[in-house]
Amino acid sequence: MSETIDAFLKENRTFPPPTEFAKQAWVNNDDPYKRAEDNYEKFWEGFASELHWFKKWSKALEWKPPHAKWFVGGKLNISYNCLDRHLSAHKNKAALIWEGEPGETRTLTYYDLYREVNKFANVLKKFGVKRGDRVSIYLPMIPELPIAMLACTRIGATHSVVFSAFSAQALRDRNQDSQAKVLITADGYYRSGNVEKLKERADLALKESPSVKQVVIVKRMGNAVTMESGRDHWWHELMQEADDYCKPEEMDSEDPLYILYTSGSTGKPKGVLHTTGGYLTGVYATNKWVFDIKDNDTYWCTADIGWVTGHSYIVYGPLANGATSLMYEGSPDYPQKDRFWAIIEKHNVNIFYTAPTAIRTFMKWGAQWPEKRDMSSLRLLGSVGEPINPEAWIWYHETIGKGRCPVVDTWWQTETGSILITPLPGHTILKPGSATKPFPGIAAMVVDEHGKEVPPGTGGYLVITKPWPSMLRTIYGDPDRYVKQYWNKFGGKFYFTGDGAKRDKDGYFWLLGRIDDVINVSGHRISTMEVESALVEHDAVAEAAVVGKNHEIKGQAIVAFVTLGDGYKPSDQLKEGLREKVKEVIGPIAKPDAIIFSDDLPKTRSGKIMRRILQDLAEGRPVGDTTTLRDPGVVERIKQQL
Ligand code: WT7
């Protein structure tokens, strides 16, 4: 097997920052890159100094590979930095604008949020929650979710947010792993106009969560719930009695902040542990520079707070910046397919951050939906979660941004805590499909199997070669797994991201997807992402997922699962057209052996395509676990096409 990945896609379009945008941007020259290059510890100290510390750190970094400590000896409190710090200048500025699925709005000013957080911190204290204790939060996208998170940080408890669409079993496993003392949940929530009975799922999980002694329930829907006396309490009743000031705990910079479970491709979920000072510095800095956040902006990240994107870029990053962060409870197609655009119009959103899978869905729904709405308030667009294919990038730039807004394609992971590879919108010349360059202070490289840097244009493993403030510190309860998973591959020298990438001659990074998703066809290591990107360049294709299937001669053969855009019908002729398209864009080597049309693809609830399932289908194996799928029915529907 060759040691690198063959990278084929060529994308030559470039987009310099619009002059007006560059003029007003936080960064519009390469000074920060130079400063960071000179001394990256000092560079990060600059951002840390913009935050509030009860006691200043004595040393920026203590690096005993693979263990980093940042801002050693410093004392701070996250809720203080996200709330108290802004009360003088921004007391009555909107901190959170929340829109419920049925259309109601709740705006919490910094002062409102401050009061709610203080009160709920006192509720937690009353239940005996202390510094270092774990609290599970199983809430939908309602303001009580960030309130509960910030209340934990106020008293130094470690929160573990469990995505509200996860199953009872997932919640149980996480409660058990973290040994949470308290669970915060809700009676139910809206999803596409239906009531999801959350408390029922929580009750199932609680049967096998012996560490959880107290449960707090937010009344969101008013659906009937069972309350276990002595254990279950209503949020609103507790809040009525709670004092409205709680002194913030002075936390050590390296004290735990939160655990967030992320499913690895194999094995049980990993509890990624983030700590206090470094994490806040990382999300504060990147939210400010990557999204160019200014005092008057309304900023909207569409992720669910159950994912790291929501932790870092709905809650901690924006609030640390004193910004206005919008959160939306429901589905993008409720009551109609223009809901996101209606929200942008209604709230005058300036900065919009979403995922490629959402963008491709919007493309499929058609430009008539955004075109009905006035979105002239937008000035910057962002993308995260997977490689954005140039086709989708251009559509986003043209149809949503009207060619006016830079698009920041931000690469990062749950483990990295904050964005690591990204354009800075007032400075970077954009190339559609490239996450461009490491954020100042971040050192990334593309290497071969032996850890040797590969030449420009060649694909390899993406590694991070220096520690950064918001890096995960360990896997909760499994320190060996931390070392094995992220550091052993390259002898403890580099952080191994698990992603493939190539750099071009200008030093730009092009992400090639997870290394596990690379297919080996006759000795050529082909990134599934590149074949998918070629397929969606065809007018008829809305979305594509590509997997490898065992092949006697070639090693692996390429199988493509394709969803067509509205108005296109499957046919053999179209299959041939798609094969030709791949040949034209990549070369004959990458022509799919089989093409399967399907109305949808198996996706996780965060929108990632589960290629493992498609591979099972392609190879005719029984399909493994489908419980994490957004729509498990899709598997049966694809089977009928085989
Ligand atoms: C994986 C991390 C980080 C927040 C959301 C996902 C992929 C993420 C990009 C991007 C190409 C990307 C990578 C990464 N990914 N952003 N801009 N371009 N790939 O967090 O669930 O921890 O997933 O998502 O494969 O390793 P996560």
Side-chain angles (χ1 to χ4, degrees), residues 309 384-387 409-414 499 511 514 608:
T309 309
V384 63
E386 44 174 332
D409 173 5
T410 62
W411 179 89
W412 58 297
Q413 307 176 302
T414 305
D499 280 3
L511 275 298
R514 304 294 297 169
K608 286 212 166 84

Side-chain angles (χ1 to χ4, degrees), residues 222-485:
N223 53 308
V225 296
T226 331
M227 298 289 278
E228 191 176 301
S229 129
R231 185 195 72 182
D232 295 357
H233 316 266
W234 286 110
W235 171 290
H236 58 274
E237 288 175 4
L238 296 167
M239 290 291 267
Q240 250 165 23
E241 294 155 19
D243 268 356
D244 55 15
Y245 181 72
C246 171
K247 191 168 178 288
E249 282 286 321
E250 299 194 4
M251 304 304 289
D252 190 88
S253 180
E254 280 300 322
D255 274 334
L257 168 61
Y258 68 74
I259 302 166
L260 185 58
Y261 289 87
T262 173
S263 46
S265 44
T266 51
K268 74 173 176 84
K270 303 174 284 217
V272 167
L273 183 84
H274 283 294
T275 57
T276 306
Y279 175 82
L280 194 67
T281 303
V283 298
Y284 169 74
T286 48
N287 212 143
K288 181 170 174 175
W289 280 9
V290 175
F291 299 107
D292 193 49
I293 286 246
K294 298 288 162 48
D295 218 13
N296 288 328
D297 283 322
T298 299
Y299 157 94
W300 182 20
C301 164
T302 69
D304 193 290
I305 295 175
W307 308 111
V308 74
T309 309
H311 281 59
S312 297
Y313 297 111
I314 297 177
V315 183
Y316 294 118
L319 298 179
N321 275 287
T324 298
S325 180
L326 190 141
M327 66 191 272
Y328 168 55
E329 178 183 35
S331 302
D333 56 352
Y334 187 86
Q336 291 201 91
K337 292 187 165 85
D338 65 346
R339 185 60 184 272
F340 276 17
W341 322 127
I343 291 175
I344 290 175
E345 180 181 68
K346 175 169 160 195
H347 298 283
N348 229 357
V349 171
N350 309 104
I351 302 167
F352 178 69
Y353 189 30
T354 195
T357 174
I359 298 168
R360 287 191 297 265
T361 305
F362 300 140
M363 287 172 77
K364 185 171 178 230
W365 289 346
Q368 71 274 19
W369 296 105
E371 267 154 22
K372 280 200 314 197
R373 300 289 176 175
D374 176 3
M375 298 197 286
S376 54
S377 56
L378 287 175
R379 66 182 196 90
L380 179 62
L381 302 173
S383 167
V384 63
E386 44 174 332
I388 176 165
N389 48 296
E391 195 72 9
W393 195 103
I394 296 285
W395 186 88
Y396 196 30
H397 187 254
E398 297 302 316
T399 308
I400 305 305
K402 296 282 174 238
R404 191 182 66 238
C405 311
V407 173
V408 287
D409 173 5
T410 62
W411 179 89
W412 58 297
Q413 307 176 302
T414 305
E415 292 87 342
T416 70
S418 62
I419 294 166
L420 296 196
I421 302 182
T422 176
L424 295 182
H427 169 65
T428 312
I429 296 173
L430 306 172
K431 301 187 186 184
S434 169
T436 75
K437 297 198 175 179
F439 191 82
I442 301 297
M445 218 156 83
V446 180
V447 300
D448 66 15
E449 192 69 34
H450 310 290
K452 194 168 158 282
E453 189 163 23
V454 300
T458 308
Y461 301 96
L462 176 67
V463 295
I464 311 296
T465 61
K466 279 187 210 156
W468 66 101
S470 65
M471 63 193 271
L472 80 164
R473 298 302 193 264
T474 192
I475 300 293
Y476 188 76
D478 198 349
D480 291 344
R481 193 168 175 198
Y482 166 73
V483 179
K484 267 191 223 132
Q485 179 97 33

